[in-house]
Structures are given as structure tokens and as C-alpha cells.
Amino acid sequence: MAIYRFRISFEDYDDISREIDIKSNQTFEDLHRAIHRSTGYDADKSSSFYVSTDNWIKGEEIAIHPNQRKIDNGVTLMEKSKLSSFIDDPHQKFYYIYNFDRPYDFHVELIKIILDADPKIDYPYLVKSVGEAPKIIDKSNIGSFAASTTANDDFDFLNEMDFVPEDTDELEAMGGRGINAEETQESDEEEEQEDEFGDGEEDYGNDDYGNDKEDY
């Protein structure tokens, strides 16, 4: 039984890739699910492989969970399609779109054919994983994503202030008022100056001054 080794890479993220070994008589659905065991994505999303040219031009579609229009047009289904039936080239390529609602595009390329399967391995088998798959935002995680974004924004604000851990003592000494403490101090000083001028005006108009004028 021959083993196909495929390299799967994100079209928009060159530094993220996976290499998966899979039996030639396994299906495109097996490969689809193996890809998303390695990315952490939900495999139960409408997705498609396309037989591709060397320039990544899409040809025949092989789908999972297709919409009614594709079903009516007789689209080929992943669960019924063995990989070996679509391999005409030792470097065969497939263009792959995951989750048509929020699509990610992948390049899938056959990079090696191993003549004999290893009896100790349960195929499909993840041979190599490079980089962390980008996060997908959906209803199940949008709250945690928003919280993470807020935390990152606070961190970026401190970075813009050239904040360093040693600044913590200084912030505590300011009574937790942070950058507004200096403004508050200046406001207090202005109030004291106003009080001082006010006292001077009252002294200027006191009774002693008036009595001196009458004596003159």
C-alpha cells in the first residue's frame, strides 16, 4: 500500500505548514479531517478540494457538506473519492478552501510517495507541523477574543508611555492616580494661589485703611 505525503500550507501565511502521510486508498474526507486535527479547526464545515494545475488554477471540485446547488450539479463528494483516483502526477497539487462561510485557502502538494506503509503508524499521520494556525473568530469564542484584544490594547498603551516594570513603585506612590496625579497637584496649587490673592484683597479694604483716610 503506497503512502502519499502532502505538504499543506496557508495561501496567505507562508510560514505555516503541515506535512501529512496518508494511504493512497484513503479518501479526501480523511485528508480533510487530518488537516483540521492539525490546525484545531472544526472539520464539519463546508469545504472543497480542487484538482489544480502547477499554477494553482482550480479544476474539478471535490466537496464535503456541499450546498444544494452543488449537489444538483453533481459535485464529487470527499467521502466517496479515494486519493489515488485523482493522482496523475508525482507532484500533484490541489487547491483547498476550508469553510466557505469564513474561508481559508490552502495549497496542498504531493511531495513524496512512500511505497510501503509502516504497520506501527495509524494513518493519516502528521509528520511535521510548522507555525500556529491563525485563530478563527466565531460565536463560540468572540467573547474571549474581545477580552484578549482589550488586554493587548492596554498593554500597547503602556508601551507608548515607555512603561517599564520599575515604574510600578512610582505609580503606587502616586496613590494609584497614574498620569492624572500631576494634573491634580497643579490644580491644588492654583486653588492655593487664588486663596492667597483673595486674602490680600480683603486686607486692602479693611477698616484701618478707611480710618487713616478720615484722619488725613
Side-chain angles (χ1 to χ4, degrees), residues 141-159:
N141 66 6
I142 190 169
S144 60
F145 181 84
S148 174
T149 302
T150 301
N152 289 336
D153 289 344
D154 292 342
F155 181 74
D156 290 341
F157 174 70
L158 292 174
N159 282 341

Side-chain angles (χ1 to χ4, degrees), residues 109-129:
E109 182 176 4
L110 179 62
I111 60 172
K112 188 175 183 180
I113 298 176
I114 302 168
L115 296 180
D116 296 313
D118 187 334
K120 298 178 182 179
I121 293 178
D122 184 20
Y123 297 95
Y125 175 71
L126 179 64
V127 177
K128 185 176 181 181
S129 177

Side-chain angles (χ1 to χ4, degrees), residues 9-214:
S9 56
F10 284 84
E11 185 174 61
D12 297 325
Y13 300 89
D14 294 337
D15 55 342
I16 302 173
S17 65
R18 304 288 185 266
E19 291 184 10
I20 294 174
D21 282 358
I22 187 168
K23 293 180 179 179
S24 58
N25 67 346
Q26 290 183 291
T27 67
F28 279 91
E29 181 180 4
D30 293 324
L31 179 58
H32 161 83
R33 295 190 179 279
I35 290 171
H36 297 303
R37 281 196 295 272
S38 73
T39 61
Y41 296 167
D42 181 3
D44 290 320
K45 298 289 186 181
S46 179
S47 308
S48 288
F49 289 94
Y50 298 85
V51 179
S52 173
T53 67
D54 288 341
N55 297 320
W56 303 109
I57 297 174
K58 297 192 293 288
E60 181 178 353
E61 181 178 6
I62 307 157
I64 190 169
H65 305 313
N67 59 30
Q68 190 59 48
R69 178 184 58 82
K70 291 182 178 181
I71 294 174
D72 293 341
N73 290 333
V75 70
T76 301
L77 300 178
M78 287 190 194
E79 60 267 30
K80 297 180 179 180
S81 303
K82 291 184 179 181
L83 292 164
S84 59
S85 300
F86 292 83
I87 303 295
D88 297 324
D89 186 321
H91 300 286
Q92 181 69 56
K93 295 180 179 180
F94 298 96
Y95 195 97
Y96 172 56
I97 300 177
Y98 165 71
N99 186 7
F100 284 100
D101 292 331
R102 292 180 177 271
Y104 274 115
D105 295 348
F106 295 79
H107 292 167
V108 179
E109 182 176 4
L110 179 62
I111 60 172
K112 188 175 183 180
I113 298 176
I114 302 168
L115 296 180
D116 296 313
D118 187 334
K120 298 178 182 179
I121 293 178
D122 184 20
Y123 297 95
Y125 175 71
L126 179 64
V127 177
K128 185 176 181 181
S129 177
V130 177
E132 183 178 354
K135 301 296 183 184
I136 293 180
I137 307 171
D138 57 27
K139 293 180 181 179
S140 65
N141 66 6
I142 190 169
S144 60
F145 181 84
S148 174
T149 302
T150 301
N152 289 336
D153 289 344
D154 292 342
F155 181 74
D156 290 341
F157 174 70
L158 292 174
N159 282 341
E160 291 176 2
M161 295 171 58
D162 295 327
F163 176 82
V164 293
E166 289 77 5
D167 293 338
T168 304
D169 295 337
E170 183 177 347
L171 289 173
E172 291 177 352
M174 295 164 70
R177 293 174 293 172
I179 61 175
N180 293 324
E182 184 176 350
E183 296 176 1
T184 304
Q185 183 177 355
E186 291 178 355
S187 177
D188 292 341
E189 291 176 354
E190 290 175 358
E191 290 178 0
E192 290 176 0
Q193 290 177 359
E194 290 176 358
D195 292 342
E196 181 179 352
F197 289 134
D199 292 341
E201 290 175 358
E202 291 175 1
D203 292 342
Y204 184 79
N206 61 20
D207 293 339
D208 291 341
Y209 179 80
N211 291 335
D212 291 343
K213 186 173 182 181
E214 289 177 2

